[in-house]
Amino acid sequence: FRISVTLNGTDQTTHLKVHHKDETFEVELNGKTIVILNNGDNSWSSVDGNADQLTVNLIGDAIEQFYKEQGW
């Protein structure tokens, strides 16, 4: 699925394709793969890739918003 997110330090919306095969969510940002995990307590963690916590949280929030919009 795809999400839209405004990342820190930009005023532009970035569109990311999300791969969700197991408990992790994988996105490609600026040519690099980032893998994040929903901790189940409204927080997200980076599993693989080089992303700061704010970026991980923003992507995670956009994923949560996608699921809400889908009624899941």
Side-chain angles (χ1 to χ4, degrees):
F1 60 91
R2 290 193 177 275
I3 60 170
S4 300
V5 59
T6 303
L7 299 174
N8 191 40
T10 70
D11 58 355
Q12 296 180 339
T13 300
T14 301
H15 305 282
L16 302 172
K17 185 174 182 182
V18 179
H19 299 277
H20 178 57
K21 300 176 197 170
D22 51 24
E23 295 180 1
T24 61
F25 297 83
E26 180 179 308
V27 299
E28 186 174 315
L29 178 62
N30 299 327
K32 296 181 181 181
T33 301
I34 299 169
V35 182
I36 65 174
L37 173 70
N38 184 331
N39 296 319
D41 61 356
N42 293 327
S43 68
W44 293 82
S45 296
S46 176
V47 176
D48 192 17
N50 189 16
D52 60 68
Q53 188 62 47
L54 179 57
T55 298
V56 170
N57 290 343
L58 290 169
I59 293 170
D61 289 348
I63 290 170
E64 289 177 1
Q65 183 62 37
F66 171 83
Y67 277 109
K68 286 179 187 174
E69 291 172 359
Q70 298 301 310
W72 295 345

